[in-house]
Every structure is written in structure tokens, then in C-alpha cells.
Amino acid sequence: MNFTRWSARLPGTQRRAAARDDRSSVPAARAEYARTEGTPVQPDDAAPEPSGTATAEGLPGPALDDLSAREILGRLPAPVALLHGPDHRVAYVNDAYEAAFGPRPSGVPAAEAMPELDRLSVLPLLDQVLRSGTPRTVKSRRTTEGGSYTVTCTPIAGEDGVLVYAADVTDHAEAAERLRTSERRHRETAVTLQRSLLPQELEQPDDLRIAATYQPGGTDAAVGGDWYDVITLGAGRTALVIGDVMGRGVRAAAVMGQLRTAVRAYARLDLPPHEVIQLLDVLAAEIDASQIATCVYAVHDPNEGQLVYASAGHLPILVRDEDGTVHRAADPTGPPLGTGGWVHTSGTIALPPGSTAVLYTDGLVERRSEDIDEGVASLARALSGAKGSPQVVCDRLIRSLGVTAEHDDDVAVLVVQHPARTGADAELFHNAALDLLGGIEAAPRARAFATGVLTSWRFPVELRDLGVLATSELVANSLQHGTPPMRLGLRRTDRRLIIEVTDGDDHLPRRRQAEPADEAGRGISIIASIATSWGSRRTPGGGKAVWCEFALPQ
């Protein structure tokens, strides 16, 4: 057993610089044996006299070779114990050990005399050390007394024993625990902020069924900026949004909140998806150019049966048909938000009745061991067999992709179903349309058409009259300010009546206060006063649509 590595810890000693040959070490060994056994031995004439070394006070002190093993261990400031034999009986403990854990009787097995070794998880290592002859270490274990120790068990060659050396790492352990506590609080703050910025309750459009799931990464993963939103646009149309801020922590969550707020504001303008993404691109660069974010913005129109979308570096939308076939939204996909210099465009993907669309972030499909396209393919396979309500589909996709509570990245999933309605449920959803041809005679034809349709839909007389009045005002406004082609559309759902008029002019109407002498300017004010809501938007092929809604009595 070599104790020279502990010499730096011993006050008043230093290692002898001159090397000795084997013969010169024999008398020292004999003298050591005599001191240990208590037998006086005469010095050998051939043995060189040990030279002392100077202490800090300038007085000669003992050299390391002049100290016994017991003296060396006794001077160590760290707790040390010597255990002997297969049952690890206590042979020796130094003063530092007794000061830390109390006196320990000699000759008693460590399992009985040293309960602290059990609490430090050292006892199971003793047999391993004796059997393998290899040192073993347990790091930063806490005792019931409140201290923390790193314990090394070293075999004593040829002695059938084990040296137990405990280093007090209490300060280090407490500092590490404070750091972990700080990181945990920081993470909890980020998660709380993240969840507070997500929609607390998803809007549920008349024609769609929607569910979403957000799962932060495991405790070792920093919280990211995954987010989603559902925004009803009016006239039965719905905006679906999902995005991912690439940074981590509170900063990423804050940027995410700003982007989500901006999306809702831009959505109220009822702009095409690519224009919304274009505006977000500029805003993201202004918020923080170093925080790159991806986003996909899609709009569903029940009259068209499709999603119109634009993507800024985000993963493709997946749509599952009623028969289980999964389609992947193709380009256009532009670069992430905040990069600038890119003209975004919109694309379309069919969402017929009976189909399910899935929007998701990269945490669901990205794995370090495989290409992300393989993850998207795995998601498509899982989606092909996922049936049930939107929430059930969310949960099944999470499980199928192996996302657990210890996942290393945030995950956000938005599932949108366009249900196929049959029977009595289908009777609550109807559409009717009329092309407005000719001149001023189109107005009475529109009123007659609306009266007949609303009567056939069995609306109460009061609601039917309001619907006819709104139709008359919208058509008159289009005839006066719009250009052909003009079209009147009526739609009822289980919750509302929607009236919409389209024409070829792209100047959007606005509500204004008409003067008493004005002959025009009151139509939109009348619509706003009788309808539950109203709005207007530009249509993709040029022109505009003006609509209003009436909530149905429940």
C-alpha cells in the first residue's frame, strides 16, 4: 500500500527526494515493524540515518519514510477506516472518522459497527473491492447527520483488507443543490409562462372538431416555444395555427407569446395565409432576429372543403381521409420567420367530410438517431390507424411516436376533424346560393330567394325576417358599390345562420355615421345593429365578400 500520495496533506512532512535501492529500504521496514509491534530493535550499521526535514517553524520534522501507517492515517484530515477480512471487521478508524461519525469498536464487522457505510451505499462495494482488487467510489452521498461524502474503497494488497476514504463534499453538494433548485424554479417559471400564453380553451367552430396537446420536455430539457391556436374568422371560416420558437426558456416563451398575439391580430384582418406569414416574418425579425421561429397558418372554409395554408419553415400538414389514406401537404414552404427576403405563397390541401388533419411541431417526429423525414413517415403511419375523437387521436399519436414525460423536446399537436354528418345531424347543416344577374331587379329576386330558403329551414318568423332584411341590405350594397360577378350565399349550421354576398370589386365596406341628408351609408350600420357579427374580406381571385351572422336560439 502506497501512502506517498497523501503526503501533501500532512503538516511538517515532505517526500524524500533521493531514491533508495532495495537494500536501503530493508532497515526502514524492520524499524517500521518494530515500532508497530512494540519491540525495540537495534539500528543496522548499514542503514543510513534518516535526515529530518524542516517544518514551517524552521525546526526539523519527520520525513515521510519515518512515519508509520497509523501515524499517516491519523494525520489525514479526512475520515479513514481500515477494514480487514471477508466480513470487513473494523481494524482502525482515524480521529477525523471518529469526529464525523463517532468512535467505532475494533474487531466488529462493519455491517454492525458502521451504519453510516450502509447509508452511504458503501457496504455493497466492499465485497466487490476484495473480489476484484479494483477500487470503487460512490459520489456525493448524504448522511443522516446532514453531511455529504464521496467515498473511495481501495484494496490493500496482500492484506485482505479495504481502506475506506471519505471526502467531505458537503459544500459542493449544497451548491449543486442550490443550482438544481434555481434551474427547477427557472423551468417552472418558463413552463407556467408557456402554458399561460397558450389558449386556455380552444375555440370550437361549427363545422370542425378540434383538440390540442402540449407537453414540455423532460426535467433535463429546457422549455421551448411551441404553440398553437384556433381562431374563428366569421362566415364559418376558421384559422389554424401552429409554430415553434427555436430558443429555450423564458425568452423563447415570451417571443412565442408575442407571435401568437400578432397572429390573432392579423387573422382579424381576414388576410390570405401567405400575407399573414409575410407580416409575421417582418415582426419576428423586429422582436429578436436571433430567435428563429417556424409557423404554419391555415384557413378552413366549409364551402370549399379544403385548407388554404402557408408555411414558414414548418413541418408539413398531414391529412387522413376517411378510408385511412394519409396525404402530406406539398410546397409552398418558405424559410423560417425572421429571415426576411422571401415572398411567401399559399397552397391548398383537401379536407373533405370524414377527414382528419394534424399540425405538429418537430418535437413529435425529430429523433437524434434518424432523419426527420423518417419521423414524419412514422407519424403518417400512426395517423392512418388513429380513429376516435380529436383528443383520442392526439393521445394515440403521442404514444405511437414514443413521447414520454422524459422526452428531450417540447411537443405540440393540433388535431382537426371535419366530421361526415348523416341522419338528423346532417339536417342541421344546409347551403343555398343564388347568382345575382341583371340590374336592380336582382334585389327583389334575392329577397324572394332568401324568404323561401329560410322558410324551408323552419326558422322562427322573427329570425327569418331579420335574415331577409340583412340579405336585402347586403345585396343592395353590392349592387351599388360592387361589380359583377355577384353571388348570394346562405348557410345554416347547428348554431348560426350565415349570409354572404360576393362581388368583383375589392374595396371593402366600412361602417360610418351617415348624415341626415345622406341617401346612402346606412346599410352596413343596419347590418351591424341587427346581426350577431359581420365582416368583410378580399377573395383570392379578386373581389370581396361581405357577410353577417345570426346566432340561432338553442
Side-chain angles (χ1 to χ4, degrees):
M1 177 178 182
N2 184 8
F3 292 105
T4 57
R5 66 192 183 102
W6 308 111
S7 63
R9 298 176 178 269
L10 304 180
T13 66
Q14 72 177 35
R15 295 177 57 185
R16 188 178 300 278
R20 293 187 172 88
D21 58 22
D22 292 342
R23 289 175 299 175
S24 64
S25 65
V26 171
R30 291 175 55 199
E32 170 68 20
Y33 176 80
R35 280 192 292 270
T36 304
E37 298 299 323
T39 304
V41 175
Q42 298 297 325
D44 195 318
D45 293 338
E49 290 296 329
S51 59
T53 58
T55 64
E57 293 78 9
L59 300 176
L64 179 63
D65 292 341
D66 298 330
L67 298 175
S68 67
R70 183 181 296 273
E71 289 173 323
I72 291 176
L73 297 179
R75 295 191 181 194
L76 289 177
V80 175
L82 288 175
L83 308 179
H84 186 269
D87 52 357
H88 315 297
R89 295 181 179 274
V90 179
Y92 169 78
V93 295
N94 69 351
D95 293 341
Y97 195 101
E98 292 185 349
F101 305 109
R104 294 295 179 260
S106 299
V108 180
E112 301 176 13
M114 300 175 130
E116 64 277 1
L117 296 187
D118 184 36
R119 293 192 293 268
L120 292 170
S121 303
V122 172
L123 288 179
L125 298 182
L126 299 177
D127 290 334
Q128 298 178 25
V129 171
L130 274 184
R131 184 170 56 252
S132 65
T134 304
R136 295 284 191 273
T137 299
V138 293
K139 296 183 178 181
S140 192
R141 299 298 173 89
R142 191 171 183 84
T143 65
T144 56
E145 291 80 4
S148 296
Y149 292 87
T150 291
V151 183
T152 299
C153 301
T154 303
I156 302 176
E159 296 294 335
D160 194 25
V162 177
L163 171 70
V164 178
Y165 177 84
D168 190 343
V169 294
T170 302
D171 292 343
H172 175 78
E174 290 177 352
E177 180 59 30
R178 288 194 296 270
L179 179 60
R180 284 192 295 268
T181 300
S182 175
E183 291 176 344
R184 185 166 55 250
R185 289 176 179 172
H186 182 81
R187 172 183 167 77
E188 291 172 354
T189 300
V191 171
T192 301
L193 176 61
Q194 173 88 338
R195 291 194 181 279
S196 67
L197 293 174
L198 292 174
Q200 303 304 301
E201 184 176 353
L202 288 178
E203 298 181 28
Q204 293 293 336
D206 297 358
D207 294 271
L208 300 175
R209 297 294 176 265
I210 302 176
T213 294
Y214 169 73
Q215 179 171 311
T219 54
D220 294 333
V223 176
D226 294 16
W227 58 286
Y228 55 83
D229 209 349
V230 178
I231 309 165
T232 53
L233 302 178
R237 302 166 67 252
T238 306
L240 309 165
V241 197
I242 196 163
D244 186 3
V245 178
M246 298 304 178
R248 296 289 183 183
V250 174
R251 179 59 183 167
V255 172
M256 176 274 287
Q258 294 177 77
L259 291 178
R260 176 174 175 253
T261 301
V263 168
R264 295 192 72 87
Y266 295 148
R268 297 307 177 193
L269 301 176
D270 220 336
L271 300 171
H274 64 275
E275 292 190 23
V276 172
I277 292 295
Q278 204 78 52
L279 292 171
L280 282 178
D281 184 36
V282 176
L283 180 65
E286 294 177 354
I287 293 174
D288 189 344
S290 65
Q291 294 273 16
I292 297 177
T294 65
C295 180
V296 61
Y297 180 89
V299 175
H300 174 258
D301 190 331
N303 297 316
E304 298 175 358
Q306 64 183 11
L307 288 176
V308 181
Y309 67 91
S311 175
H314 205 80
L315 295 165
I317 300 172
L318 299 181
V319 175
R320 176 190 182 275
D321 289 341
E322 197 168 11
D323 61 1
T325 304
V326 176
H327 304 278
R328 175 173 172 169
D331 291 338
T333 297
L337 299 174
T339 55
W342 185 268
V343 178
H344 292 271
T345 57
S346 295
T348 61
I349 185 170
L351 189 68
S355 60
T356 300
V358 176
L359 294 77
Y360 52 96
T361 57
D362 58 1
L364 182 65
V365 297
E366 189 173 31
R367 302 294 182 271
R368 296 178 182 177
S369 59
E370 63 182 25
D371 186 81
I372 195 168
D373 286 336
E374 297 179 13
V376 175
S378 298
L379 176 60
R381 289 191 295 271
L383 178 60
S384 65
K387 298 181 179 180
S389 68
Q391 189 59 58
V392 169
V393 173
C394 268
D395 296 340
R396 289 182 176 178
L397 295 181
I398 291 288
R399 289 196 303 270
S400 298
L401 273 294
V403 177
T404 64
E406 299 304 318
H407 194 57
D408 61 358
D409 196 4
D410 291 24
V411 175
V413 183
L414 184 65
V415 173
V416 181
Q417 287 184 347
H418 185 188
R421 295 180 173 87
T422 59
D425 188 33
E427 291 299 317
L428 298 176
F429 292 80
H430 291 286
N431 286 288
L434 173 68
D435 290 327
L436 301 175
L437 304 175
I440 59 173
E441 66 274 11
R445 285 204 305 270
R447 286 193 294 271
F449 176 79
T451 301
V453 169
L454 299 182
T455 302
S456 68
W457 288 350
R458 300 178 181 178
F459 283 146
V461 174
E462 182 180 357
L463 180 58
R464 182 190 65 194
D465 292 343
L466 290 175
V468 172
L469 176 58
T471 299
S472 177
E473 293 297 335
L474 290 177
V475 171
N477 184 77
S478 183
L479 289 173
Q480 183 174 357
H481 302 288
T483 59
M486 302 178 186
R487 184 179 178 85
L488 167 65
L490 302 176
R491 175 175 175 77
R492 75 153 293 170
T493 70
D494 58 342
R495 286 182 277 180
R496 73 198 74 221
L497 166 66
I498 302 168
I499 304 171
E500 185 175 68
V501 175
T502 60
D503 62 53
D505 185 82
D506 62 359
H507 291 86
L508 300 180
R510 61 185 178 86
R511 185 179 181 181
R512 64 185 179 88
Q513 184 67 43
E515 297 296 332
D518 291 344
E519 296 182 359
R522 294 179 175 83
I524 295 300
S525 294
I526 293 174
I527 294 294
S529 63
I530 66 174
T532 304
S533 61
W534 77 279
S536 62
R537 72 180 188 279
R538 290 186 174 88
T539 52
K544 66 176 179 295
V546 185
W547 55 268
C548 67
E549 294 181 351
F550 293 89
L552 301 184
Q554 299 299 314

